[in-house]
Amino acid sequence: MEVGNYSVGLDIGTTKIVAIIGKKNEYGKIEVLGIGKSKSLGVHRGVVNNITQTIKSIQQAVEEAELNSGLKIGSVVVGIAGQHIRSLQHSDYITRADSEEVINEDDLDTLCNQVYKLVMLPGEEIIHVLPQEYKVDGQAEIKEPIGMYGGRLEANFHVVVGQVSSIKNVGRCIKSAGLDLGNITLEPLASSDAVLSKEEKEAGVALIDIGGGTTDLAIFKDGIIRHTAVIPFGGGVITEDIKEGCSIIEKQAELLKIKFGSAWPGENKDNEIVSIPGLRGREPKEITLKNLSKIIHARVVEIIEQVYVEIKNYGHEEQKKKLIAGIVLTGGGSQLKHLKQLVEYITGMDTRIGYPNEHLAGDSDSEIASPLYATAVGLLMNAVQNEAKGAVVAETDTDTTEKTLQEEGELVMAGEEPETMQRPKPKTERKSVFDKWSEKLKDFLDNAE
């Protein structure tokens, strides 16, 4: 992949796999150069359960994107989700040797690395540590402590944990499909980058991404990620319910849901009927739209209530934690008719549908601006950001050793550099999603061969 030229996001979903190629234009917007999608085989509720089929689906999507754009895909930024992902809040502190020296990047890295050493359940590993607010000698609510004096540095962290095996399986699929793993991003974070505005994150907002296999939740307040959760139900379960309830095949159930489905049964009259062709010359089936809506409504209420429990667990009802911007719905499942009204009715919170069009160039295909592609666009934005960061370091740094390390995406700790090379690092570099984990996963895959 040509550095600084184009980037690739790969969304490995339960129902579809999307490869999206793009670059930043002169106005700072994302210009999509090509997109490829394939039916996702081998992924169940966000987790790979058939390596061979997943590899085939990835290759199919990548080939289509290459064909559309005329470009060769090398390195990709991939999203991670699934019911094995969980998050927790953790507080930690370090006591500094010399309180007469100002706090620097090295102190923050030491504090972060300390959190990575937390003991997790067997088979689990910390994927990501996100600093929220810092405390210096008891002084609270500090967003950036660098340059301050203090002996005790504390911080609250949002820690994301996942199953080691599930994440390694995703890495193996990427490598076996002939691609390089550029970075791994938590999918709710990618979706939030694509559809949420800075103001919403500041005011307090809950992003609900309803996918095929899972429903992802990300809560932001004061511009900081506060809570993430993955609920193991999505649009696929609704289709399954229609299939069972109406005794029809899955393909017909999916079409029924998309064309005639509604989350609000009250709007359908009893005499509204849709006819489904019978199998192999059998009699066609007649299904009332009221009945269809009742089936959909029951499952959607269950999903939304589970998400609302997570929102309440964050403490939404407390005045201090109030989510003023309400709820933003995105993902393929958010396109269900009257879902917005139902969510408002259940939660009592303002709701809107999130489209990833704000960051896309004006001449982009309207299909890509659909909530269906929110995660894929977010992953592409992450890839572009990583490219830009690598390019900036390469342009401004004269030392070849450091330049090579940065281009390869390795995290150079300030304490490991010769004194002449030490320099303040940009804030984004410290918080870039999954840098450490990506390196670990790359090493594991290389050693496995």
Side-chain angles (χ1 to χ4, degrees), residues 119-146:
V119 178
M120 289 291 124
L121 295 170
E124 278 191 338
E125 190 156 340
I126 292 176
I127 304 167
H128 198 35
V129 170
L130 286 157
Q132 294 180 324
E133 287 127 335
Y134 294 92
K135 264 188 195 177
V136 178
D137 289 348
Q139 185 189 335
E141 292 181 8
I142 296 167
K143 284 193 178 175
E144 186 52 270
I146 289 177

PDB file of all heavy atoms in Angstrom, residues 119-146:
ATOM      1  N   VAL A 119      -4.727  -8.503  36.254  1.00  0.00           N
ATOM      2  CA  VAL A 119      -5.015  -9.930  36.057  1.00  0.00           C
ATOM      3  C   VAL A 119      -6.461 -10.075  35.576  1.00  0.00           C
ATOM      4  O   VAL A 119      -7.391  -9.595  36.211  1.00  0.00           O
ATOM      5  CB  VAL A 119      -4.784 -10.730  37.362  1.00  0.00           C
ATOM      6  CG1 VAL A 119      -5.142 -12.198  37.155  1.00  0.00           C
ATOM      7  CG2 VAL A 119      -3.351 -10.587  37.824  1.00  0.00           C
ATOM      8  N   MET A 120      -6.617 -10.746  34.423  1.00  0.00           N
ATOM      9  CA  MET A 120      -7.945 -10.953  33.841  1.00  0.00           C
ATOM     10  C   MET A 120      -8.373 -12.413  34.016  1.00  0.00           C
ATOM     11  O   MET A 120      -7.596 -13.256  34.450  1.00  0.00           O
ATOM     12  CB  MET A 120      -7.909 -10.615  32.340  1.00  0.00           C
ATOM     13  CG  MET A 120      -7.780  -9.137  32.063  1.00  0.00           C
ATOM     14  SD  MET A 120      -9.280  -8.260  32.531  1.00  0.00           S
ATOM     15  CE  MET A 120      -8.636  -7.059  33.649  1.00  0.00           C
ATOM     16  N   LEU A 121      -9.602 -12.721  33.631  1.00  0.00           N
ATOM     17  CA  LEU A 121     -10.091 -14.104  33.670  1.00  0.00           C
ATOM     18  C   LEU A 121      -9.294 -14.957  32.684  1.00  0.00           C
ATOM     19  O   LEU A 121      -8.752 -14.434  31.708  1.00  0.00           O
ATOM     20  CB  LEU A 121     -11.578 -14.140  33.290  1.00  0.00           C
ATOM     21  CG  LEU A 121     -12.555 -13.445  34.245  1.00  0.00           C
ATOM     22  CD1 LEU A 121     -13.923 -13.350  33.604  1.00  0.00           C
ATOM     23  CD2 LEU A 121     -12.645 -14.181  35.570  1.00  0.00           C
ATOM     24  N   PRO A 122      -9.210 -16.279  32.893  1.00  0.00           N
ATOM     25  CA  PRO A 122      -8.457 -17.132  31.953  1.00  0.00           C
ATOM     26  C   PRO A 122      -8.979 -16.984  30.525  1.00  0.00           C
ATOM     27  O   PRO A 122     -10.190 -16.961  30.299  1.00  0.00           O
ATOM     28  CB  PRO A 122      -8.731 -18.554  32.485  1.00  0.00           C
ATOM     29  CG  PRO A 122      -9.125 -18.375  33.898  1.00  0.00           C
ATOM     30  CD  PRO A 122      -9.787 -17.043  34.008  1.00  0.00           C
ATOM     31  N   GLY A 123      -8.045 -16.862  29.580  1.00  0.00           N
ATOM     32  CA  GLY A 123      -8.431 -16.735  28.165  1.00  0.00           C
ATOM     33  C   GLY A 123      -8.789 -15.329  27.736  1.00  0.00           C
ATOM     34  O   GLY A 123      -9.090 -15.071  26.583  1.00  0.00           O
ATOM     35  N   GLU A 124      -8.767 -14.379  28.707  1.00  0.00           N
ATOM     36  CA  GLU A 124      -9.082 -12.983  28.380  1.00  0.00           C
ATOM     37  C   GLU A 124      -7.811 -12.149  28.418  1.00  0.00           C
ATOM     38  O   GLU A 124      -6.877 -12.474  29.148  1.00  0.00           O
ATOM     39  CB  GLU A 124     -10.079 -12.399  29.397  1.00  0.00           C
ATOM     40  CG  GLU A 124     -11.515 -12.750  29.115  1.00  0.00           C
ATOM     41  CD  GLU A 124     -12.482 -11.938  29.974  1.00  0.00           C
ATOM     42  OE1 GLU A 124     -12.079 -11.440  31.039  1.00  0.00           O
ATOM     43  OE2 GLU A 124     -13.627 -11.816  29.566  1.00  0.00           O
ATOM     44  N   GLU A 125      -7.815 -11.102  27.633  1.00  0.00           N
ATOM     45  CA  GLU A 125      -6.683 -10.186  27.659  1.00  0.00           C
ATOM     46  C   GLU A 125      -7.169  -8.757  27.475  1.00  0.00           C
ATOM     47  O   GLU A 125      -8.170  -8.521  26.797  1.00  0.00           O
ATOM     48  CB  GLU A 125      -5.692 -10.554  26.547  1.00  0.00           C
ATOM     49  CG  GLU A 125      -4.390  -9.794  26.674  1.00  0.00           C
ATOM     50  CD  GLU A 125      -3.224 -10.504  26.015  1.00  0.00           C
ATOM     51  OE1 GLU A 125      -3.296 -11.717  25.779  1.00  0.00           O
ATOM     52  OE2 GLU A 125      -2.246  -9.818  25.720  1.00  0.00           O
ATOM     53  N   ILE A 126      -6.445  -7.842  28.094  1.00  0.00           N
ATOM     54  CA  ILE A 126      -6.802  -6.427  27.915  1.00  0.00           C
ATOM     55  C   ILE A 126      -6.424  -6.038  26.496  1.00  0.00           C
ATOM     56  O   ILE A 126      -5.283  -6.207  26.070  1.00  0.00           O
ATOM     57  CB  ILE A 126      -6.072  -5.547  28.943  1.00  0.00           C
ATOM     58  CG1 ILE A 126      -6.614  -5.837  30.349  1.00  0.00           C
ATOM     59  CG2 ILE A 126      -6.250  -4.060  28.614  1.00  0.00           C
ATOM     60  CD1 ILE A 126      -5.908  -5.113  31.459  1.00  0.00           C
ATOM     61  N   ILE A 127      -7.407  -5.528  25.764  1.00  0.00           N
ATOM     62  CA  ILE A 127      -7.158  -5.107  24.384  1.00  0.00           C
ATOM     63  C   ILE A 127      -6.779  -3.638  24.373  1.00  0.00           C
ATOM     64  O   ILE A 127      -5.920  -3.216  23.632  1.00  0.00           O
ATOM     65  CB  ILE A 127      -8.430  -5.280  23.525  1.00  0.00           C
ATOM     66  CG1 ILE A 127      -8.935  -6.712  23.594  1.00  0.00           C
ATOM     67  CG2 ILE A 127      -8.179  -4.890  22.091  1.00  0.00           C
ATOM     68  CD1 ILE A 127     -10.325  -6.865  23.034  1.00  0.00           C
ATOM     69  N   HIS A 128      -7.481  -2.874  25.217  1.00  0.00           N
ATOM     70  CA  HIS A 128      -7.331  -1.436  25.092  1.00  0.00           C
ATOM     71  C   HIS A 128      -7.505  -0.726  26.421  1.00  0.00           C
ATOM     72  O   HIS A 128      -8.390  -1.066  27.192  1.00  0.00           O
ATOM     73  CB  HIS A 128      -8.382  -0.940  24.104  1.00  0.00           C
ATOM     74  CG  HIS A 128      -8.060   0.410  23.569  1.00  0.00           C
ATOM     75  ND1 HIS A 128      -6.784   0.826  23.331  1.00  0.00           N
ATOM     76  CD2 HIS A 128      -8.858   1.449  23.247  1.00  0.00           C
ATOM     77  CE1 HIS A 128      -6.827   2.058  22.872  1.00  0.00           C
ATOM     78  NE2 HIS A 128      -8.064   2.463  22.818  1.00  0.00           N
ATOM     79  N   VAL A 129      -6.652   0.248  26.685  1.00  0.00           N
ATOM     80  CA  VAL A 129      -6.733   1.057  27.900  1.00  0.00           C
ATOM     81  C   VAL A 129      -6.929   2.516  27.482  1.00  0.00           C
ATOM     82  O   VAL A 129      -6.058   3.106  26.847  1.00  0.00           O
ATOM     83  CB  VAL A 129      -5.440   0.896  28.744  1.00  0.00           C
ATOM     84  CG1 VAL A 129      -5.409   1.902  29.876  1.00  0.00           C
ATOM     85  CG2 VAL A 129      -5.331  -0.516  29.296  1.00  0.00           C
ATOM     86  N   LEU A 130      -8.092   3.090  27.832  1.00  0.00           N
ATOM     87  CA  LEU A 130      -8.396   4.477  27.440  1.00  0.00           C
ATOM     88  C   LEU A 130      -8.399   5.367  28.674  1.00  0.00           C
ATOM     89  O   LEU A 130      -9.280   5.242  29.528  1.00  0.00           O
ATOM     90  CB  LEU A 130      -9.774   4.538  26.783  1.00  0.00           C
ATOM     91  CG  LEU A 130      -9.886   3.983  25.370  1.00  0.00           C
ATOM     92  CD1 LEU A 130     -11.304   3.591  25.081  1.00  0.00           C
ATOM     93  CD2 LEU A 130      -9.419   4.987  24.341  1.00  0.00           C
ATOM     94  N   PRO A 131      -7.405   6.271  28.812  1.00  0.00           N
ATOM     95  CA  PRO A 131      -7.415   7.186  29.962  1.00  0.00           C
ATOM     96  C   PRO A 131      -8.596   8.146  29.856  1.00  0.00           C
ATOM     97  O   PRO A 131      -8.927   8.602  28.766  1.00  0.00           O
ATOM     98  CB  PRO A 131      -6.090   7.953  29.824  1.00  0.00           C
ATOM     99  CG  PRO A 131      -5.339   7.279  28.732  1.00  0.00           C
ATOM    100  CD  PRO A 131      -6.306   6.536  27.895  1.00  0.00           C
ATOM    101  N   GLN A 132      -9.238   8.425  30.987  1.00  0.00           N
ATOM    102  CA  GLN A 132     -10.358   9.364  30.979  1.00  0.00           C
ATOM    103  C   GLN A 132      -9.932  10.666  31.645  1.00  0.00           C
ATOM    104  O   GLN A 132      -9.475  11.566  30.972  1.00  0.00           O
ATOM    105  CB  GLN A 132     -11.565   8.712  31.656  1.00  0.00           C
ATOM    106  CG  GLN A 132     -12.078   7.535  30.839  1.00  0.00           C
ATOM    107  CD  GLN A 132     -13.277   6.845  31.460  1.00  0.00           C
ATOM    108  OE1 GLN A 132     -13.379   6.729  32.669  1.00  0.00           O
ATOM    109  NE2 GLN A 132     -14.176   6.370  30.627  1.00  0.00           N
ATOM    110  N   GLU A 133     -10.053  10.763  32.966  1.00  0.00           N
ATOM    111  CA  GLU A 133      -9.570  11.971  33.647  1.00  0.00           C
ATOM    112  C   GLU A 133      -8.410  11.612  34.572  1.00  0.00           C
ATOM    113  O   GLU A 133      -8.328  10.494  35.066  1.00  0.00           O
ATOM    114  CB  GLU A 133     -10.677  12.604  34.496  1.00  0.00           C
ATOM    115  CG  GLU A 133     -11.717  13.293  33.668  1.00  0.00           C
ATOM    116  CD  GLU A 133     -13.107  12.804  34.012  1.00  0.00           C
ATOM    117  OE1 GLU A 133     -13.237  11.671  34.494  1.00  0.00           O
ATOM    118  OE2 GLU A 133     -14.043  13.549  33.769  1.00  0.00           O
ATOM    119  N   TYR A 134      -7.558  12.600  34.785  1.00  0.00           N
ATOM    120  CA  TYR A 134      -6.398  12.403  35.666  1.00  0.00           C
ATOM    121  C   TYR A 134      -6.589  13.183  36.968  1.00  0.00           C
ATOM    122  O   TYR A 134      -7.380  14.120  37.039  1.00  0.00           O
ATOM    123  CB  TYR A 134      -5.129  12.912  34.971  1.00  0.00           C
ATOM    124  CG  TYR A 134      -4.732  12.121  33.740  1.00  0.00           C
ATOM    125  CD1 TYR A 134      -5.169  12.506  32.468  1.00  0.00           C
ATOM    126  CD2 TYR A 134      -3.903  11.015  33.850  1.00  0.00           C
ATOM    127  CE1 TYR A 134      -4.802  11.786  31.341  1.00  0.00           C
ATOM    128  CE2 TYR A 134      -3.526  10.285  32.720  1.00  0.00           C
ATOM    129  CZ  TYR A 134      -3.976  10.678  31.471  1.00  0.00           C
ATOM    130  OH  TYR A 134      -3.602   9.965  30.358  1.00  0.00           O
ATOM    131  N   LYS A 135      -5.817  12.769  37.986  1.00  0.00           N
ATOM    132  CA  LYS A 135      -5.736  13.505  39.252  1.00  0.00           C
ATOM    133  C   LYS A 135      -4.264  13.693  39.555  1.00  0.00           C
ATOM    134  O   LYS A 135      -3.471  12.752  39.417  1.00  0.00           O
ATOM    135  CB  LYS A 135      -6.335  12.658  40.387  1.00  0.00           C
ATOM    136  CG  LYS A 135      -7.761  12.947  40.720  1.00  0.00           C
ATOM    137  CD  LYS A 135      -8.116  12.179  41.987  1.00  0.00           C
ATOM    138  CE  LYS A 135      -9.623  12.117  42.182  1.00  0.00           C
ATOM    139  NZ  LYS A 135      -9.964  11.317  43.368  1.00  0.00           N
ATOM    140  N   VAL A 136      -3.875  14.890  39.942  1.00  0.00           N
ATOM    141  CA  VAL A 136      -2.486  15.147  40.334  1.00  0.00           C
ATOM    142  C   VAL A 136      -2.501  15.644  41.785  1.00  0.00           C
ATOM    143  O   VAL A 136      -3.108  16.691  42.076  1.00  0.00           O
ATOM    144  CB  VAL A 136      -1.819  16.191  39.402  1.00  0.00           C
ATOM    145  CG1 VAL A 136      -0.395  16.485  39.869  1.00  0.00           C
ATOM    146  CG2 VAL A 136      -1.802  15.690  37.961  1.00  0.00           C
ATOM    147  N   ASP A 137      -1.875  14.866  42.674  1.00  0.00           N
ATOM    148  CA  ASP A 137      -1.846  15.183  44.114  1.00  0.00           C
ATOM    149  C   ASP A 137      -3.249  15.524  44.642  1.00  0.00           C
ATOM    150  O   ASP A 137      -3.443  16.517  45.350  1.00  0.00           O
ATOM    151  CB  ASP A 137      -0.877  16.349  44.395  1.00  0.00           C
ATOM    152  CG  ASP A 137       0.578  15.926  44.222  1.00  0.00           C
ATOM    153  OD1 ASP A 137       0.813  14.705  44.116  1.00  0.00           O
ATOM    154  OD2 ASP A 137       1.453  16.791  44.178  1.00  0.00           O
ATOM    155  N   GLY A 138      -4.236  14.714  44.217  1.00  0.00           N
ATOM    156  CA  GLY A 138      -5.600  14.900  44.712  1.00  0.00           C
ATOM    157  C   GLY A 138      -6.432  15.911  43.949  1.00  0.00           C
ATOM    158  O   GLY A 138      -7.646  15.992  44.131  1.00  0.00           O
ATOM    159  N   GLN A 139      -5.803  16.707  43.082  1.00  0.00           N
ATOM    160  CA  GLN A 139      -6.553  17.693  42.283  1.00  0.00           C
ATOM    161  C   GLN A 139      -7.235  16.956  41.121  1.00  0.00           C
ATOM    162  O   GLN A 139      -6.561  16.374  40.265  1.00  0.00           O
ATOM    163  CB  GLN A 139      -5.622  18.778  41.746  1.00  0.00           C
ATOM    164  CG  GLN A 139      -6.364  19.883  41.016  1.00  0.00           C
ATOM    165  CD  GLN A 139      -5.417  20.842  40.296  1.00  0.00           C
ATOM    166  OE1 GLN A 139      -4.259  20.968  40.686  1.00  0.00           O
ATOM    167  NE2 GLN A 139      -5.890  21.496  39.256  1.00  0.00           N
ATOM    168  N   ALA A 140      -8.566  16.976  41.114  1.00  0.00           N
ATOM    169  CA  ALA A 140      -9.328  16.143  40.162  1.00  0.00           C
ATOM    170  C   ALA A 140      -9.642  16.865  38.850  1.00  0.00           C
ATOM    171  O   ALA A 140      -9.318  18.036  38.670  1.00  0.00           O
ATOM    172  CB  ALA A 140     -10.616  15.680  40.828  1.00  0.00           C
ATOM    173  N   GLU A 141     -10.267  16.105  37.943  1.00  0.00           N
ATOM    174  CA  GLU A 141     -10.789  16.587  36.652  1.00  0.00           C
ATOM    175  C   GLU A 141      -9.738  17.279  35.791  1.00  0.00           C
ATOM    176  O   GLU A 141      -9.977  18.332  35.217  1.00  0.00           O
ATOM    177  CB  GLU A 141     -12.010  17.494  36.877  1.00  0.00           C
ATOM    178  CG  GLU A 141     -13.201  16.718  37.420  1.00  0.00           C
ATOM    179  CD  GLU A 141     -14.433  17.575  37.620  1.00  0.00           C
ATOM    180  OE1 GLU A 141     -14.425  18.739  37.194  1.00  0.00           O
ATOM    181  OE2 GLU A 141     -15.400  17.073  38.218  1.00  0.00           O
ATOM    182  N   ILE A 142      -8.565  16.646  35.690  1.00  0.00           N
ATOM    183  CA  ILE A 142      -7.501  17.174  34.811  1.00  0.00           C
ATOM    184  C   ILE A 142      -7.508  16.330  33.538  1.00  0.00           C
ATOM    185  O   ILE A 142      -7.403  15.109  33.593  1.00  0.00           O
ATOM    186  CB  ILE A 142      -6.122  17.097  35.515  1.00  0.00           C
ATOM    187  CG1 ILE A 142      -6.118  18.012  36.749  1.00  0.00           C
ATOM    188  CG2 ILE A 142      -4.996  17.467  34.557  1.00  0.00           C
ATOM    189  CD1 ILE A 142      -4.957  17.792  37.692  1.00  0.00           C
ATOM    190  N   LYS A 143      -7.670  16.995  32.396  1.00  0.00           N
ATOM    191  CA  LYS A 143      -7.722  16.245  31.139  1.00  0.00           C
ATOM    192  C   LYS A 143      -6.328  16.011  30.553  1.00  0.00           C
ATOM    193  O   LYS A 143      -6.096  15.034  29.864  1.00  0.00           O
ATOM    194  CB  LYS A 143      -8.615  16.961  30.120  1.00  0.00           C
ATOM    195  CG  LYS A 143     -10.095  16.768  30.443  1.00  0.00           C
ATOM    196  CD  LYS A 143     -10.985  17.182  29.301  1.00  0.00           C
ATOM    197  CE  LYS A 143     -12.447  16.931  29.658  1.00  0.00           C
ATOM    198  NZ  LYS A 143     -13.377  17.406  28.653  1.00  0.00           N
ATOM    199  N   GLU A 144      -5.397  16.935  30.792  1.00  0.00           N
ATOM    200  CA  GLU A 144      -4.040  16.799  30.256  1.00  0.00           C
ATOM    201  C   GLU A 144      -3.029  17.210  31.325  1.00  0.00           C
ATOM    202  O   GLU A 144      -2.800  18.399  31.541  1.00  0.00           O
ATOM    203  CB  GLU A 144      -3.901  17.659  28.988  1.00  0.00           C
ATOM    204  CG  GLU A 144      -2.588  17.495  28.257  1.00  0.00           C
ATOM    205  CD  GLU A 144      -2.246  16.043  27.958  1.00  0.00           C
ATOM    206  OE1 GLU A 144      -1.589  15.409  28.819  1.00  0.00           O
ATOM    207  OE2 GLU A 144      -2.630  15.531  26.897  1.00  0.00           O
ATOM    208  N   PRO A 145      -2.410  16.223  32.022  1.00  0.00           N
ATOM    209  CA  PRO A 145      -1.527  16.575  33.142  1.00  0.00           C
ATOM    210  C   PRO A 145      -0.083  16.909  32.743  1.00  0.00           C
ATOM    211  O   PRO A 145       0.701  17.321  33.593  1.00  0.00           O
ATOM    212  CB  PRO A 145      -1.550  15.307  34.001  1.00  0.00           C
ATOM    213  CG  PRO A 145      -1.819  14.215  33.038  1.00  0.00           C
ATOM    214  CD  PRO A 145      -2.566  14.790  31.884  1.00  0.00           C
ATOM    215  N   ILE A 146       0.270  16.745  31.462  1.00  0.00           N
ATOM    216  CA  ILE A 146       1.655  16.995  31.039  1.00  0.00           C
ATOM    217  C   ILE A 146       2.035  18.446  31.318  1.00  0.00           C
ATOM    218  O   ILE A 146       1.283  19.371  31.007  1.00  0.00           O
ATOM    219  CB  ILE A 146       1.856  16.636  29.539  1.00  0.00           C
ATOM    220  CG1 ILE A 146       1.802  15.105  29.377  1.00  0.00           C
ATOM    221  CG2 ILE A 146       3.168  17.168  28.995  1.00  0.00           C
ATOM    222  CD1 ILE A 146       1.921  14.612  27.973  1.00  0.00           C
TER     223      ILE A 146
END
